[in-house]
Amino acid sequence: MEVDKMNKLNANKKIGQLDPIVLNDLLIKFSNESDIKKWDIGASSSTDISVQVQQGNAKQLKGSQRNSMTLRVWNNNNQVGITSTSDLTSSGIKKAMNGAIEASLFGNEQESPEFSSLAKADLKEINSKVSNPHSIDELLKILKKAEQQLIDTHKSIDSVPYNGLNESYLERIYINSEGANRHMKLSQSSIYLYAKAEEEGKKPRSAGGIRIHSNIDELDIESCINETSDKLISHLNYKSIETNKYLICFTPEAFLQLISAFSSMFNARSIIDGLSLMNKDSIGNQISVPNLNISDEGLHPENVGAFSFDGEGTPTQNIELVKNGKLINLLHSEATARKFGVKPTGHAGLGAKVSVSPDWLVISKSDSGNDKEERLSIKNTLKEFILIDELSAIHSGVKSSQGSFSLPFDGWIVNEGKRTSIEAATIAGDILKVLNNIVKIESEQIVTHQGISPHVWVENISITGEA
């Protein structure tokens, strides 16, 4: 019965909940009635269907349709009022307009946001795709099959306690009173599989994998199954390690996790708020070894969830952040760009306080300088090192404004090419010391679900073993 209900919801859903022409006409009408000459909105809509299974049975079925709109108005004193609503009907928008007008009376006259100078600039074309929707029944069949395939890969794998298959349709709109009008939609599908295995006399072990694509029919489920199984099997043979300083190799996923945790280094809003290791004078400073490049590339073709504009209507831009180890750019909203005397970069959200965040980090090796340890390679290094695959407790274990971190991790101790899983351990240190202790950046860049990076080797990193 529950599946039938979900199938009906899926069949009735419409791809494309937002109509920019209707929204624009309504906002012009209500602003004229209220004598408001300056306003803008950011609106979004999403339709999501997801399933989870347990031992071949449906565990959880979800379907949702969400709309949201943030409206800003400027009164005659240039004070800004902001309201948010999920009611995008004519009456809902009118209430939001009236609420924003009332809120503007309490706006800060000394610091008022403005429209982005690039809100009407040409957008770069990106290959956004909207796939045909699938029924909840189809998603269940796909995930049940994946669960069973994963369990069948090894006798010690007894369950896949955490799993999910999701299909989403997303839209974004930005409109302002000066004629900016942005609209884009895309689809995104994802699968995650997190399996558990146990051998007699040993502790249970777990591992997982994630895949994302614009179309569920092209989602690489097979490689997700294989990756999860291979990792999990490799963790069955484990041992504890001594507390010491080690040579570390970060997998692409782990290094991206670490850099993302300290992305406030590149965030102009965080710098202004005093929540970053960097300051206004940090541009041009050497913050890492000379052969490290970090860029944010929201327009990269591998970025499935790419939008061509941000919450303020600014075109999304690929931007170099660290080049040859030097900090050369920051991520900006309209307001932070004005403070720094530069142009916005297309990384802003829209809200009571405009946020700034990266889209798609890309780590690469520059041509500046040589690796300290040229012979290191994930494929053939014989000396002992720690291979870190995934970091945990990011939110609680990172102090981004201080640069310090202490994080549990999943990984292996590798000796003469043989991997042995680490029972439990924590990596700790300072992000700037990590960046300056890099001894090798491998050439091969690997695409992950959260960005692109090669394997990165760092020396003299503290690992605390846990009995």
Side-chain angles (χ1 to χ4, degrees):
M1 181 64 71
E2 191 65 28
V3 174
D4 291 339
K5 288 180 181 178
M6 294 296 294
N7 277 327
K8 287 179 181 178
L9 169 64
N10 191 252
N12 292 331
K13 73 181 182 183
K14 296 178 181 178
I15 300 174
Q17 303 293 322
L18 302 178
D19 190 327
I21 296 175
V22 171
L23 279 175
N24 189 51
D25 289 347
L26 285 171
L27 288 159
I28 291 173
K29 176 187 175 184
F30 296 144
S31 62
N32 288 338
E33 291 175 356
S34 305
D35 196 30
I36 292 294
K37 297 179 175 59
K38 186 175 180 180
W39 52 264
D40 70 355
I41 68 156
S44 64
S45 176
S46 67
T47 301
D48 299 281
I49 298 291
S50 65
V51 299
Q52 294 179 20
V53 299
Q54 185 174 33
Q55 300 295 345
N57 298 310
K59 179 183 178 183
Q60 193 172 67
L61 312 175
K62 289 183 180 180
S64 65
Q65 292 179 339
R66 299 184 182 92
N67 295 318
S68 65
M69 181 185 79
T70 297
L71 170 65
R72 301 189 297 185
V73 302
W74 284 253
N75 64 23
N76 292 333
N77 295 323
N78 204 39
Q79 294 168 286
V80 178
I82 302 174
T83 55
S84 296
T85 182
S86 59
D87 183 358
L88 301 190
T89 63
S90 176
S91 61
I93 293 172
K94 187 171 185 177
K95 288 178 183 177
M97 177 70 75
N98 292 334
I101 293 169
E102 291 179 13
S104 70
L105 299 174
F106 304 95
N108 185 351
E109 294 183 60
Q110 306 303 318
E111 186 174 344
S112 180
E114 297 292 339
F115 293 157
S116 168
S117 60
L118 301 176
K120 294 193 288 185
D122 291 339
L123 298 176
K124 291 185 178 180
E125 289 188 15
I126 59 178
N127 188 24
S128 62
K129 298 178 181 178
V130 179
S131 64
N132 294 322
H134 293 73
S135 70
I136 201 79
D137 220 15
E138 290 175 301
L139 267 64
L140 270 175
K141 288 178 181 177
I142 292 169
L143 189 56
K144 285 179 181 179
K145 181 180 177 182
E147 179 196 40
Q148 191 57 53
Q149 279 185 253
L150 179 51
I151 291 173
D152 289 343
T153 58
H154 196 273
K155 62 181 182 180
S156 296
I157 301 177
D158 56 20
S159 64
V160 188
Y162 304 106
N163 60 74
L165 182 61
N166 173 270
E167 187 174 55
S168 301
Y169 295 87
L170 310 168
E171 283 188 86
R172 179 184 288 176
I173 278 180
Y174 176 79
I175 304 171
N176 71 28
S177 55
E178 291 185 351
N181 198 320
R182 314 285 205 194
H183 182 211
M184 184 180 168
K185 55 188 175 180
L186 56 83
S187 63
Q188 184 172 290
S189 297
S190 63
I191 185 171
Y192 71 90
L193 300 169
Y194 199 82
K196 183 173 74 71
E198 186 173 1
E199 291 187 332
E200 187 175 351
K202 292 188 175 182
K203 296 179 181 178
R205 307 291 281 170
S206 56
I210 300 174
R211 293 294 183 273
I212 299 176
H213 202 278
S214 59
N215 188 341
I216 203 167
D217 294 326
E218 298 178 51
L219 199 58
D220 195 353
I221 297 173
E222 198 71 30
S223 72
C224 188
I225 292 170
N226 293 336
E227 177 190 338
T228 302
S229 178
D230 291 345
K231 281 184 183 179
L232 185 48
I233 293 167
S234 73
H235 283 309
L236 292 175
N237 177 30
Y238 61 85
K239 71 175 185 179
S240 59
I241 62 169
E242 295 181 359
T243 297
N244 209 334
K245 290 190 174 182
Y246 291 87
L247 172 66
I248 302 293
C249 178
F250 289 97
T251 63
E253 293 88 348
F255 196 69
L256 284 165
Q257 282 182 301
L258 188 63
I259 296 300
S260 296
F262 289 96
S263 63
S264 60
M265 290 191 298
F266 321 122
N267 188 320
R269 182 75 265 167
S270 297
I271 290 174
I272 291 170
D273 293 343
L275 301 174
S276 172
L277 280 172
M278 303 296 125
N279 57 54
K280 291 183 179 180
D281 300 321
S282 295
I283 297 293
N285 287 356
Q286 193 84 29
I287 66 169
S288 79
V289 293
N291 52 348
L292 177 68
N293 288 342
I294 302 175
S295 59
D296 187 74
E297 301 185 20
L299 298 173
H300 197 286
E302 295 289 349
N303 183 12
V304 173
F307 278 95
S308 57
F309 58 94
D310 71 359
E312 297 181 315
T314 303
T316 301
Q317 299 165 48
N318 292 343
I319 180 169
E320 291 182 305
L321 300 170
V322 176
K323 185 174 183 179
N324 300 333
K326 291 183 179 181
L327 180 68
I328 62 169
N329 283 307
L330 299 174
L331 305 178
H332 285 284
S333 65
E334 179 280 326
T336 65
R338 268 191 293 128
K339 285 184 177 292
F340 280 77
V342 297
K343 291 183 177 181
T345 60
H347 293 85
L350 192 65
K353 183 175 182 179
V354 174
S355 60
V356 180
S357 59
D359 290 320
W360 181 258
L361 291 176
V362 176
I363 314 294
S364 61
K365 180 179 180 179
S366 75
D367 296 327
S368 178
N370 297 319
D371 289 314
K372 185 177 178 180
E373 297 282 353
E374 289 283 352
R375 295 183 180 180
L376 291 176
S377 167
I378 191 63
K379 295 179 179 178
N380 55 27
T381 296
L382 296 180
K383 65 182 348 182
E384 183 180 86
F385 66 93
I386 303 293
L387 177 59
I388 293 183
D389 181 56
E390 183 178 2
L391 302 170
S392 304
I394 298 288
H395 295 294
S396 59
V398 169
K399 295 181 179 179
S400 56
S401 61
Q402 299 175 21
S404 62
F405 62 91
S406 179
L407 301 169
F409 68 89
D410 291 335
W412 303 266
I413 184 165
V414 186
N415 199 341
E416 295 186 350
K418 181 184 177 182
R419 297 185 184 184
T420 303
S421 179
I422 297 170
E423 181 177 358
T426 300
I427 180 172
D430 176 273
I431 186 61
L432 293 181
K433 288 182 180 179
V434 168
L435 295 179
N436 283 283
N437 282 352
I438 293 174
V439 293
K440 175 68 181 284
I441 301 172
E442 299 201 14
S443 299
E444 182 185 2
Q445 290 180 281
I446 297 172
V447 179
T448 76
H449 68 278
Q450 56 187 332
I452 299 176
S453 175
H455 285 82
V456 178
W457 297 72
V458 187
E459 65 180 0
N460 293 324
I461 298 297
S462 295
I463 300 290
T464 302
E466 299 177 20

